[in-house]
Short mmCIF file of all heavy atoms in Angstrom, two decimals:
data_model
loop_
_atom_site.label_atom_id
_atom_site.label_comp_id
_atom_site.label_asym_id
_atom_site.label_seq_id
_atom_site.Cartn_x
_atom_site.Cartn_y
_atom_site.Cartn_z
N ARG Q 90 40.58 10.15 70.58
CA ARG Q 90 39.98 9.12 71.60
C ARG Q 90 38.81 9.68 72.32
O ARG Q 90 38.67 9.54 73.56
CB ARG Q 90 41.02 8.74 72.53
CG ARG Q 90 42.24 7.85 71.79
CD ARG Q 90 43.38 7.70 72.71
NE ARG Q 90 44.45 6.83 71.93
CZ ARG Q 90 45.67 6.75 72.28
NH1 ARG Q 90 46.07 7.44 73.33
NH2 ARG Q 90 46.58 5.97 71.68
N GLY Q 91 37.96 10.56 71.66
CA GLY Q 91 36.72 11.13 72.36
C GLY Q 91 36.96 12.30 73.13
O GLY Q 91 36.10 12.74 73.76
N LYS Q 92 38.17 12.83 73.24
CA LYS Q 92 38.60 13.99 74.07
C LYS Q 92 39.05 14.95 73.24
O LYS Q 92 39.69 14.74 72.10
CB LYS Q 92 39.50 13.51 75.16
CG LYS Q 92 38.99 12.49 76.18
CD LYS Q 92 40.15 12.04 77.20
CE LYS Q 92 40.76 13.12 77.91
NZ LYS Q 92 41.79 12.62 78.81
N PRO Q 93 39.03 16.32 73.61
CA PRO Q 93 39.72 17.43 72.93
C PRO Q 93 41.07 17.04 72.74
O PRO Q 93 41.88 16.52 73.55
CB PRO Q 93 39.45 18.62 73.85
CG PRO Q 93 38.27 18.28 74.59
CD PRO Q 93 38.42 16.80 74.83
N SER Q 94 41.73 17.28 71.51
CA SER Q 94 43.18 17.13 71.18
C SER Q 94 43.95 17.94 72.26
O SER Q 94 43.42 18.93 72.72
CB SER Q 94 43.38 17.60 69.72
OG SER Q 94 42.52 16.64 68.85
N ASN Q 95 45.12 17.53 72.20
CA ASN Q 95 46.17 18.20 73.24
C ASN Q 95 46.17 19.68 72.97
O ASN Q 95 46.05 20.55 73.96
CB ASN Q 95 47.46 17.60 73.13
CG ASN Q 95 48.41 17.87 74.23
OD1 ASN Q 95 48.69 19.01 74.56
ND2 ASN Q 95 48.61 16.92 75.13
N HIS Q 96 46.32 20.18 71.71
CA HIS Q 96 46.45 21.62 71.49
C HIS Q 96 45.12 22.29 71.65
O HIS Q 96 45.21 23.52 71.89
CB HIS Q 96 46.93 21.70 69.98
CG HIS Q 96 45.86 21.35 68.98
ND1 HIS Q 96 45.73 20.21 68.50
CD2 HIS Q 96 44.92 22.24 68.20
CE1 HIS Q 96 44.74 20.07 67.67
NE2 HIS Q 96 44.22 21.42 67.39
N LYS Q 97 43.91 21.72 71.75
CA LYS Q 97 42.74 22.42 72.03
C LYS Q 97 42.64 22.71 73.52
O LYS Q 97 41.90 23.51 73.88
CB LYS Q 97 41.55 21.39 71.64
CG LYS Q 97 41.54 21.11 70.11
CD LYS Q 97 41.51 22.35 69.32
CE LYS Q 97 40.23 23.27 69.50
NZ LYS Q 97 40.04 24.40 68.46
N VAL Q 98 43.37 21.93 74.33
CA VAL Q 98 43.41 22.07 75.79
C VAL Q 98 44.55 22.95 76.21
O VAL Q 98 44.29 23.93 76.99
CB VAL Q 98 43.41 20.80 76.53
CG1 VAL Q 98 43.53 20.93 78.01
CG2 VAL Q 98 42.28 19.88 76.17
N TYR Q 99 45.60 22.76 75.74
CA TYR Q 99 46.88 23.34 76.21
C TYR Q 99 47.50 24.51 75.20
O TYR Q 99 48.48 25.03 75.53
CB TYR Q 99 47.84 22.36 76.48
CG TYR Q 99 47.57 21.44 77.67
CD1 TYR Q 99 46.95 20.25 77.39
CD2 TYR Q 99 47.67 22.01 79.01
CE1 TYR Q 99 46.58 19.44 78.49
CE2 TYR Q 99 47.41 21.15 80.02
CZ TYR Q 99 46.84 19.87 79.73
OH TYR Q 99 46.42 19.12 80.89
N GLY Q 100 46.85 24.51 74.07
CA GLY Q 100 47.43 25.58 73.08
C GLY Q 100 48.54 24.77 72.18
O GLY Q 100 49.08 23.77 72.45
N GLU Q 101 48.62 25.30 70.95
CA GLU Q 101 49.46 24.52 70.06
C GLU Q 101 51.02 24.61 70.53
O GLU Q 101 51.63 23.62 70.29
CB GLU Q 101 49.41 25.33 68.69
CG GLU Q 101 48.12 25.24 67.83
CD GLU Q 101 48.16 25.97 66.63
OE1 GLU Q 101 49.13 26.02 65.91
OE2 GLU Q 101 47.04 26.62 66.31
N ASP Q 102 51.38 25.72 71.16
CA ASP Q 102 52.76 25.75 71.58
C ASP Q 102 53.09 24.59 72.64
O ASP Q 102 54.25 23.94 72.48
CB ASP Q 102 53.16 27.10 72.10
CG ASP Q 102 52.19 27.68 73.04
OD1 ASP Q 102 51.17 26.95 73.46
OD2 ASP Q 102 52.44 28.93 73.52
N ILE Q 103 52.26 24.55 73.65
CA ILE Q 103 52.54 23.59 74.59
C ILE Q 103 52.35 22.02 74.14
O ILE Q 103 53.06 21.25 74.44
CB ILE Q 103 51.73 23.79 75.94
CG1 ILE Q 103 51.97 25.17 76.50
CG2 ILE Q 103 51.80 22.68 76.87
CD1 ILE Q 103 53.46 25.29 77.09
N ALA Q 104 51.42 21.93 73.26
CA ALA Q 104 51.22 20.64 72.62
C ALA Q 104 52.39 20.19 71.84
O ALA Q 104 52.88 19.04 71.86
CB ALA Q 104 49.94 20.69 71.67
N LEU Q 105 52.89 21.09 71.13
CA LEU Q 105 54.10 20.81 70.25
C LEU Q 105 55.26 20.25 71.09
O LEU Q 105 55.86 19.32 70.91
CB LEU Q 105 54.55 21.89 69.47
CG LEU Q 105 55.89 21.79 68.58
CD1 LEU Q 105 55.66 20.85 67.43
CD2 LEU Q 105 56.29 23.17 68.09
N LEU Q 106 55.46 21.12 72.21
CA LEU Q 106 56.54 20.79 73.20
C LEU Q 106 56.20 19.51 74.04
O LEU Q 106 57.13 18.74 74.35
CB LEU Q 106 56.76 22.03 74.11
CG LEU Q 106 57.27 23.16 73.43
CD1 LEU Q 106 57.31 24.44 74.42
CD2 LEU Q 106 58.76 23.05 72.80
N ALA Q 107 55.01 19.27 74.23
CA ALA Q 107 54.56 18.09 74.96
C ALA Q 107 55.05 16.74 74.18
O ALA Q 107 55.51 15.72 74.64
CB ALA Q 107 53.18 17.93 75.34
N GLY Q 108 54.78 16.92 72.85
CA GLY Q 108 55.23 15.78 71.99
C GLY Q 108 56.66 15.72 71.96
O GLY Q 108 57.31 14.55 72.05
N ASP Q 109 57.41 16.75 71.91
CA ASP Q 109 58.87 16.78 71.79
C ASP Q 109 59.40 15.98 73.04
O ASP Q 109 60.33 15.35 73.11
CB ASP Q 109 59.43 18.09 71.74
CG ASP Q 109 59.26 18.89 70.37
OD1 ASP Q 109 58.80 18.07 69.34
OD2 ASP Q 109 59.39 20.01 70.37
N ALA Q 110 58.78 16.43 74.21
CA ALA Q 110 59.27 15.91 75.55
C ALA Q 110 58.97 14.41 75.71
O ALA Q 110 59.83 13.69 76.37
CB ALA Q 110 58.56 16.65 76.72
N LEU Q 111 57.85 14.00 75.17
CA LEU Q 111 57.57 12.52 75.15
C LEU Q 111 58.53 11.79 74.36
O LEU Q 111 58.98 10.64 74.61
CB LEU Q 111 56.13 12.34 74.67
CG LEU Q 111 54.98 12.50 75.80
CD1 LEU Q 111 53.67 12.54 75.15
CD2 LEU Q 111 55.11 11.55 76.94
N LEU Q 112 58.88 12.31 73.22
CA LEU Q 112 59.84 11.68 72.29
C LEU Q 112 61.18 11.51 73.02
O LEU Q 112 61.79 10.44 72.94
CB LEU Q 112 60.01 12.59 71.09
CG LEU Q 112 61.21 12.15 70.09
CD1 LEU Q 112 60.97 10.80 69.53
CD2 LEU Q 112 61.31 13.23 68.97
N THR Q 113 61.68 12.46 73.68
CA THR Q 113 62.96 12.36 74.23
C THR Q 113 62.82 11.54 75.59
O THR Q 113 63.90 10.85 75.86
CB THR Q 113 63.46 13.76 74.64
OG1 THR Q 113 62.49 14.54 75.24
CG2 THR Q 113 63.80 14.62 73.42
N LEU Q 114 61.83 11.57 76.29
CA LEU Q 114 61.62 10.78 77.45
C LEU Q 114 61.67 9.37 77.11
O LEU Q 114 62.09 8.54 77.95
CB LEU Q 114 60.26 11.05 78.03
CG LEU Q 114 59.96 10.27 79.51
CD1 LEU Q 114 61.01 10.55 80.50
CD2 LEU Q 114 58.63 10.76 79.99
N ALA Q 115 61.20 8.99 75.97
CA ALA Q 115 61.13 7.51 75.46
C ALA Q 115 62.62 7.05 75.55
O ALA Q 115 62.89 5.94 76.02
CB ALA Q 115 60.60 7.38 74.06
N PHE Q 116 63.61 7.82 74.95
CA PHE Q 116 65.07 7.32 74.93
C PHE Q 116 65.66 7.54 76.28
O PHE Q 116 66.57 6.67 76.70
CB PHE Q 116 65.69 8.05 73.70
CG PHE Q 116 65.28 7.66 72.39
CD1 PHE Q 116 64.25 8.44 71.80
CD2 PHE Q 116 65.56 6.45 71.88
CE1 PHE Q 116 63.70 8.07 70.49
CE2 PHE Q 116 65.09 6.21 70.63
CZ PHE Q 116 64.12 6.89 69.98
N GLU Q 117 65.18 8.35 77.10
CA GLU Q 117 65.73 8.51 78.48
C GLU Q 117 65.32 7.18 79.21
O GLU Q 117 66.16 6.60 80.02
CB GLU Q 117 65.20 9.73 79.12
CG GLU Q 117 65.65 9.83 80.66
CD GLU Q 117 65.02 10.99 81.40
OE1 GLU Q 117 64.42 11.84 80.61
OE2 GLU Q 117 65.12 10.99 82.58
N THR Q 118 64.11 6.77 79.03
CA THR Q 118 63.52 5.51 79.72
C THR Q 118 64.48 4.26 79.26
O THR Q 118 64.82 3.52 79.99
CB THR Q 118 62.20 5.30 79.33
OG1 THR Q 118 61.42 6.47 79.81
CG2 THR Q 118 61.61 4.01 79.92
N LEU Q 119 64.79 4.23 77.94
CA LEU Q 119 65.59 3.08 77.47
C LEU Q 119 67.05 3.08 77.88
O LEU Q 119 67.60 2.02 78.22
CB LEU Q 119 65.67 3.03 75.80
CG LEU Q 119 64.31 2.80 75.18
CD1 LEU Q 119 64.56 2.84 73.57
CD2 LEU Q 119 63.92 1.42 75.47
N ALA Q 120 67.49 4.34 78.12
CA ALA Q 120 68.95 4.45 78.64
C ALA Q 120 69.03 4.42 80.08
O ALA Q 120 70.18 4.42 80.69
CB ALA Q 120 69.53 5.69 78.12
N ASP Q 121 67.96 4.28 80.99
CA ASP Q 121 68.04 4.40 82.32
C ASP Q 121 68.66 3.06 82.91
O ASP Q 121 68.66 1.94 82.43
CB ASP Q 121 66.49 4.33 82.78
CG ASP Q 121 66.53 4.76 84.25
OD1 ASP Q 121 66.63 5.74 84.70
OD2 ASP Q 121 66.27 3.63 85.16
N ASP Q 122 69.41 3.27 83.97
CA ASP Q 122 70.17 2.24 84.70
C ASP Q 122 69.22 1.16 85.12
O ASP Q 122 69.71 -0.03 85.00
CB ASP Q 122 70.92 2.75 85.88
CG ASP Q 122 72.12 3.70 85.39
OD1 ASP Q 122 72.60 3.56 84.22
OD2 ASP Q 122 72.60 4.36 86.35
N ARG Q 123 68.06 1.38 85.50
CA ARG Q 123 67.10 0.42 85.98
C ARG Q 123 66.70 -0.45 84.69
O ARG Q 123 66.60 -1.68 84.97
CB ARG Q 123 65.90 0.98 86.66
CG ARG Q 123 64.93 -0.06 87.23
CD ARG Q 123 63.88 0.62 88.12
NE ARG Q 123 62.94 -0.45 88.55
CZ ARG Q 123 62.02 -1.04 87.94
NH1 ARG Q 123 61.78 -0.61 86.63
NH2 ARG Q 123 61.23 -2.05 88.38
N THR Q 124 66.44 0.14 83.67
CA THR Q 124 66.08 -0.58 82.52
C THR Q 124 67.19 -1.49 82.10
O THR Q 124 66.85 -2.78 81.85
CB THR Q 124 65.82 0.35 81.29
OG1 THR Q 124 64.85 1.27 81.64
CG2 THR Q 124 65.42 -0.43 80.08
N ALA Q 125 68.46 -1.02 82.09
CA ALA Q 125 69.60 -1.98 81.81
C ALA Q 125 69.71 -3.16 82.85
O ALA Q 125 70.15 -4.24 82.45
CB ALA Q 125 70.83 -1.17 81.75
N SER Q 126 69.43 -2.80 84.09
CA SER Q 126 69.47 -3.82 85.14
C SER Q 126 68.49 -5.00 84.89
O SER Q 126 68.63 -6.17 85.35
CB SER Q 126 69.35 -3.30 86.48
OG SER Q 126 68.04 -2.87 86.83
N LEU Q 127 67.35 -4.62 84.29
CA LEU Q 127 66.23 -5.66 83.89
C LEU Q 127 66.56 -6.43 82.76
O LEU Q 127 66.05 -7.59 82.58
CB LEU Q 127 64.87 -4.85 83.88
CG LEU Q 127 64.43 -4.24 85.15
CD1 LEU Q 127 63.18 -3.32 84.87
CD2 LEU Q 127 64.01 -5.29 86.16
N THR Q 128 67.33 -5.79 81.78
CA THR Q 128 67.68 -6.53 80.54
C THR Q 128 69.24 -6.69 80.41
O THR Q 128 69.76 -7.56 81.06
CB THR Q 128 67.07 -5.70 79.31
OG1 THR Q 128 67.48 -4.38 79.43
CG2 THR Q 128 65.53 -5.86 79.32
N SER Q 129 69.73 -5.79 79.83
CA SER Q 129 71.21 -5.72 79.64
C SER Q 129 71.51 -4.37 78.81
O SER Q 129 70.65 -3.76 78.12
CB SER Q 129 71.83 -6.78 78.88
OG SER Q 129 71.35 -6.82 77.49
N ASP Q 130 72.89 -3.88 79.03
CA ASP Q 130 73.22 -2.78 78.27
C ASP Q 130 73.06 -3.03 76.77
O ASP Q 130 72.70 -2.09 76.07
CB ASP Q 130 74.79 -2.41 78.67
CG ASP Q 130 74.82 -1.86 80.00
OD1 ASP Q 130 73.96 -1.34 80.58
OD2 ASP Q 130 76.08 -1.89 80.55
N LYS Q 131 73.44 -4.31 76.34
CA LYS Q 131 73.24 -4.63 74.89
C LYS Q 131 71.89 -4.50 74.46
O LYS Q 131 71.62 -3.89 73.40
CB LYS Q 131 73.77 -5.92 74.62
CG LYS Q 131 73.77 -6.44 73.22
CD LYS Q 131 74.23 -7.78 73.14
CE LYS Q 131 73.95 -8.30 71.73
NZ LYS Q 131 74.34 -9.80 71.45
N ALA Q 132 70.98 -5.01 75.23
CA ALA Q 132 69.59 -4.95 74.80
C ALA Q 132 69.06 -3.49 74.77
O ALA Q 132 68.31 -3.07 73.87
CB ALA Q 132 68.59 -5.67 75.75
N CYS Q 133 69.45 -2.68 75.68
CA CYS Q 133 68.95 -1.18 75.77
C CYS Q 133 69.57 -0.54 74.58
O CYS Q 133 68.81 0.34 73.86
CB CYS Q 133 69.42 -0.62 77.05
SG CYS Q 133 68.63 -1.04 78.51
N ARG Q 134 70.75 -0.72 74.11
CA ARG Q 134 71.32 -0.14 73.02
C ARG Q 134 70.69 -0.61 71.77
O ARG Q 134 70.32 0.36 70.80
CB ARG Q 134 72.85 -0.48 72.83
CG ARG Q 134 73.76 0.22 73.83
CD ARG Q 134 75.23 0.16 73.46
NE ARG Q 134 75.68 -1.13 73.15
CZ ARG Q 134 76.17 -1.97 74.11
NH1 ARG Q 134 76.26 -1.54 75.35
NH2 ARG Q 134 76.50 -3.23 73.65
N LEU Q 135 70.35 -1.84 71.58
CA LEU Q 135 69.72 -2.33 70.44
C LEU Q 135 68.33 -1.84 70.40
O LEU Q 135 67.72 -1.53 69.31
CB LEU Q 135 69.67 -3.84 70.41
CG LEU Q 135 69.19 -4.62 69.29
CD1 LEU Q 135 69.77 -4.11 67.87
CD2 LEU Q 135 69.21 -6.08 69.22
N ALA Q 136 67.56 -1.75 71.46
CA ALA Q 136 66.20 -1.27 71.54
C ALA Q 136 66.20 0.21 71.10
O ALA Q 136 65.30 0.67 70.27
CB ALA Q 136 65.72 -1.45 72.90
N ALA Q 137 67.07 0.97 71.53
CA ALA Q 137 67.27 2.41 71.24
C ALA Q 137 67.49 2.58 69.76
O ALA Q 137 66.84 3.41 69.12
CB ALA Q 137 68.30 3.15 72.07
N LYS Q 138 68.24 1.69 69.16
CA LYS Q 138 68.68 1.85 67.73
C LYS Q 138 67.44 1.57 66.95
O LYS Q 138 67.13 2.21 65.97
CB LYS Q 138 69.79 0.88 67.43
CG LYS Q 138 70.35 0.96 66.00
CD LYS Q 138 71.44 0.04 65.74
CE LYS Q 138 71.85 0.00 64.36
NZ LYS Q 138 73.05 -0.96 63.98
N LYS Q 139 66.80 0.42 67.32
CA LYS Q 139 65.55 -0.01 66.50
C LYS Q 139 64.53 1.05 66.65
O LYS Q 139 63.80 1.35 65.67
CB LYS Q 139 65.16 -1.39 66.90
CG LYS Q 139 66.04 -2.68 66.45
CD LYS Q 139 65.47 -3.93 66.85
CE LYS Q 139 66.26 -4.96 66.31
NZ LYS Q 139 66.11 -5.15 64.75
N LEU Q 140 64.16 1.50 67.69
CA LEU Q 140 63.21 2.49 68.02
C LEU Q 140 63.38 3.73 67.20
O LEU Q 140 62.55 4.25 66.60
CB LEU Q 140 62.91 2.73 69.45
CG LEU Q 140 61.66 3.53 69.83
CD1 LEU Q 140 60.44 2.81 69.17
CD2 LEU Q 140 61.44 3.62 71.23
N ALA Q 141 64.64 4.35 67.31
CA ALA Q 141 65.01 5.46 66.57
C ALA Q 141 64.84 5.26 65.05
O ALA Q 141 64.31 6.12 64.33
CB ALA Q 141 66.56 5.81 66.90
#
Side-chain angles (χ1 to χ4, degrees):
R90 295 167 176 165
K92 298 171 60 178
S94 300
N95 197 292
H96 69 275
K97 300 303 292 185
V98 177
Y99 294 96
E101 292 178 38
D102 48 1
I103 297 299
L105 177 69
L106 294 170
D109 292 344
L111 284 169
L112 169 61
T113 51
L114 182 59
F116 292 99
E117 179 183 345
T118 301
L119 291 178
D121 190 80
D122 288 342
R123 184 174 181 275
T124 304
S126 72
L127 293 169
T128 53
S129 67
D130 288 339
K131 178 183 176 182
C133 290
R134 291 196 304 271
L135 183 56
K138 180 179 179 180
K139 284 184 175 292
L140 190 54

